[in-house]
């Protein structure tokens, strides 16, 4: 089932509006300020949980498993490659492109994994190409590309863009791996 942005907004409004109306009525009905602040403190965790559930519901509605693809970036380079820019093409069309800030680079080099794309594609055969731009351990510009031909079945697809370092060749290695 496909949802457009208007339908999604209406669905989220229909789900959240009654909650906020009840919340406002409850907070106005409390006559003592101390009781209402205690009540609000007890409701905060419930609001956070509800917000999380709504975000997950929205993600499931926008990206059903039949069409979902997630692309992640991971690093294990011992600072021998510092990424500056990443561009991803799927079937010849750019689906993600961006520059990296120092805080993002620090998180990646400390073992972080970043989701760089979440979207929908039709089942079937596809080609993904990732273009990495940055500097190597000697502070020289470095550009490489890695690609993967894959088949999108009826379940969600996860792909990892893996950047590692070869102690043999003393070069960064760029791989695209299906998960």
């Amino acid at each position: 089932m496909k949802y457009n942005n208007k339908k999604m907004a209406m669905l989220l409004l229909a789900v959240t509006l009654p909650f906020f109306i009840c919340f406002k009525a409850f907070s106005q009905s409390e006559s003592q300020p101390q009781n209402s602040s205690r009540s609000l403190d007890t409701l905060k965790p419930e609001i956070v949980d509800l917000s999380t559930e709504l975000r997950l519901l929205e993600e499931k509605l926008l990206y059903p498993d039949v069409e979902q693809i997630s692309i992640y970036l991971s690093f294990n380079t011992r600072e021998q490659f510092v990424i500056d820019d990443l561009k991803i093409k799927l079937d010849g069309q750019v689906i993600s492109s961006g520059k990296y800030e120092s805080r993002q680079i620090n998180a990646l080099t400390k073992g972080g994994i970043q989701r760089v794309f979440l979207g929908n594609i039709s089942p079937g055969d596809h080609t993904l190409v990732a273009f990495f731009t940055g500097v190597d351990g000697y502070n020289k510009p470095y550009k490489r590309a890695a690609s993967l031909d894959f088949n999108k079945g009826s379940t969600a697809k996860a792909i990892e863009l893996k950047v590692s370092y070869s102690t043999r060749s003393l070069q960064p290695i760029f791989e695209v791996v299906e998960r």
Side-chain angles (χ1 to χ4, degrees):
M1 181 184 303
K2 296 240 179 203
Y3 289 91
N4 61 26
N5 289 340
K6 282 185 180 179
K7 286 182 184 177
M8 190 64 199
M10 293 300 290
L11 176 65
L12 287 175
L13 184 64
V15 170
T16 58
L17 190 59
F19 173 79
F20 288 113
I21 289 171
C22 291
F23 181 77
K24 182 153 177 74
F26 173 76
S27 65
Q28 288 175 349
S29 69
E30 290 290 324
S31 60
Q32 297 176 347
Q34 288 180 338
N35 282 346
S36 65
S37 67
R38 274 191 237 136
S39 298
L40 289 176
D41 288 340
T42 59
L43 283 177
K44 282 180 186 177
E46 293 177 28
I47 293 169
V48 169
D49 289 344
L50 183 61
S51 175
T52 303
E53 288 179 29
L54 283 172
R55 185 185 52 78
L56 292 173
L57 174 64
E58 178 184 19
E59 194 172 287
K60 278 194 174 279
L61 290 172
L62 288 174
Y63 308 108
D65 285 349
V66 174
E67 298 174 350
Q68 184 183 53
I69 182 169
S70 299
I71 302 172
Y72 298 91
L73 175 64
S74 68
F75 265 71
N76 185 14
T77 63
R78 298 183 189 147
E79 299 182 5
Q80 298 300 323
F81 176 75
V82 178
I83 191 165
D84 180 46
D85 187 88
L86 175 65
K87 180 167 57 170
I88 302 170
K89 287 185 175 185
L90 183 64
D91 298 329
Q93 294 184 345
V94 176
I95 59 170
S96 179
S97 178
K99 290 200 167 282
Y100 282 82
E101 298 175 6
S102 60
R103 65 181 174 80
Q104 293 171 307
I105 294 167
N106 288 337
L108 286 168
T109 56
K110 289 179 182 176
I113 296 175
Q114 177 193 19
R115 181 169 67 186
V116 292
F117 180 78
L118 174 64
N120 293 334
I121 61 171
S122 60
D125 293 330
H126 299 279
T127 301
L128 181 118
V129 182
F131 300 93
F132 301 87
T133 306
V135 292
D136 65 9
Y138 303 105
N139 212 22
K140 293 183 179 176
Y142 207 87
K143 290 183 179 183
R144 290 292 184 270
S147 66
L148 174 70
D149 293 325
F150 66 95
N151 184 286
K152 170 69 176 84
S154 61
T155 59
K157 175 70 75 179
I159 295 176
E160 181 181 1
L161 307 175
K162 210 172 173 180
V163 182
S164 56
Y165 184 73
S166 170
T167 54
R168 247 189 200 158
S169 66
L170 303 176
Q171 298 272 329
I173 300 170
F174 304 92
E175 299 175 284
V176 181
V177 182
E178 281 185 72
R179 296 286 176 207

